[in-house]
Amino acid sequence: MVNVMYIDTHIHVDGMSEDELRYMVSNGIDRAITCAYYPIEPRYPQTFLDLFTRLIDYDVPKAREWGLTLYVAIGIHPRSISKTGYELIIDAMKSLSEHEVVVAFGETGLQLASDKEINILQTQLELANELEFPIIVHTPSANKREITEKTLPLLDKTRINPKLVVIDHVNDETISIMDESGYNIGLTVQYGKLTPEIAAELVIQYSDNNEIVLNSDNGFRKCDIASVTKTINILKSLGADKSLLERVSHKNAENIFKI
Ligand SMILES: [Zn+2]
């Protein structure tokens, strides 16, 4: 194994194979956070309860067998809102937040910014604020800038401590809005999102004012499994100093998620 020090802050382990997990570890990624997401709109809120239990009781030990220390984020993704009864999920999030492998709520966020999505994001933000618990807030591929501009005021309104929040899938189009906002920035290095080269440039340009974490969003589709390692290697080749490399590769994530 090489440089086993990197954290991938956003994967979907339930959409990955064991070979893919092994490949992450052999590329130096020894810790990761898997985010709750369900690939269809669930009919029943209970689906989430089984999903959370699956991630905690099945995927965490399975990942450990391959050398990956896995942590779990639980929450309602805007594309997986159950038809009814989401209050049940919020109650489960509240009690499971005390579980030792659960380190954040997520992924949450807005996809189309419908009233229902806004309502559910607000509820999750209020819970994170009340419990002082980290929360991962997704931004969508389509209309990213417009939706990000709708998301940030919702966060501001709850007065949540910005240090608890990771705005995720930030790209070259939206990173300037985040600059100096105090919210942590997640850069997702993946096909259709950021290339390792562009992610490395953004880290260098924006890391003075922001805490940046790197992730792959691996799972459920064609993935560049070790994209976090590639980005760190590019940062090294660009001459990034040791403290910057440590911050983006693991220290920022350790501080935000208390891992
Ligand atoms: Zn995701």
Side-chain angles (χ1 to χ4, degrees):
M1 272 184 257
V2 286
N3 302 324
V4 183
M5 284 302 292
Y6 306 156
I7 300 178
D8 187 328
T9 64
H10 185 141
I11 66 170
H12 295 282
V13 77
D14 42 332
M16 292 176 71
S17 68
E18 289 184 351
D19 279 351
E20 289 171 333
L21 291 183
R22 255 199 312 234
Y23 189 72
M24 279 180 79
V25 175
S26 66
N27 277 275
I29 299 158
D30 70 342
R31 286 169 286 170
I33 298 172
T34 194
C35 292
Y37 165 72
Y38 205 72
I40 58 161
E41 185 184 294
R43 257 175 288 184
Y44 315 106
Q46 287 86 348
T47 301
F48 283 85
L49 309 191
D50 281 339
L51 172 65
F52 299 163
T53 306
R54 179 216 149 124
L55 295 173
I56 295 167
D57 290 343
Y58 172 77
D59 289 302
V60 168
K62 191 184 80 167
R64 195 178 299 128
E65 281 175 30
W66 299 114
L68 182 73
T69 302
L70 188 66
Y71 301 95
V72 178
I74 53 173
I76 309 173
H77 188 294
R79 284 207 314 240
S80 331
I81 296 174
S82 60
K83 289 201 192 310
T84 56
Y86 74 88
E87 298 78 6
L88 191 72
I89 309 165
I90 300 293
D91 286 347
M93 287 167 63
K94 194 169 185 170
S95 53
L96 286 172
S97 67
E98 290 175 15
H99 195 292
E100 59 178 348
V101 301
V102 176
V103 298
F105 293 140
E107 57 188 303
T108 68
L110 301 178
Q111 188 69 24
L112 305 167
S114 68
D115 288 348
K116 191 174 186 184
E117 287 179 11
I118 289 172
N119 200 355
I120 289 173
L121 173 59
Q122 250 166 354
T123 307
Q124 295 182 94
L125 285 167
E126 280 159 16
L127 185 62
N129 192 23
E130 179 195 324
L131 302 177
E132 295 183 35
F133 203 59
I135 183 164
I136 296 168
V137 182
H138 144 115
T139 55
S141 300
N143 304 321
K144 188 181 283 289
R145 194 180 172 101
E146 184 196 329
I147 302 286
T148 302
E149 282 168 346
K150 288 185 179 170
T151 304
L152 294 179
L154 291 178
L155 294 162
D156 296 341
K157 213 167 89 182
T158 57
R159 298 173 165 274
I160 188 166
N161 176 356
K163 304 233 168 303
L164 292 172
V165 179
V166 174
I167 309 284
D168 224 333
H169 318 319
V170 172
N171 68 7
D172 38 344
E173 192 196 349
T174 56
I175 197 164
S176 60
I177 316 173
M178 231 70 66
D179 203 16
E180 297 184 58
S181 68
Y183 297 116
N184 302 297
I185 292 173
L187 297 180
T188 300
V189 189
Q190 197 47 267
Y191 299 120
K193 295 196 167 85
L194 292 173
T195 63
E197 290 77 14
I198 292 178
E201 275 171 33
L202 295 179
V203 166
I204 288 176
Q205 203 181 335
Y206 287 93
S207 58
D208 285 347
N209 296 330
N210 302 281
E211 302 304 334
I212 296 175
V213 294
L214 297 173
N215 59 64
S216 65
D217 206 5
N218 281 333
F220 293 115
R221 60 179 88 107
K222 178 173 147 65
C223 290
D224 184 357
I225 301 293
S227 64
V228 165
T229 306
K230 282 187 192 166
T231 308
I232 292 163
N233 287 341
I234 292 172
L235 281 166
K236 283 180 186 166
S237 72
L238 292 172
D241 65 36
K242 190 166 169 263
S243 87
L244 176 59
L245 290 170
E246 285 179 351
R247 278 166 58 207
V248 297
S249 67
H250 63 287
K251 282 199 170 157
N252 288 343
E254 288 172 351
N255 290 336
I256 297 164
F257 299 106
K258 314 273 183 293
I259 57 179

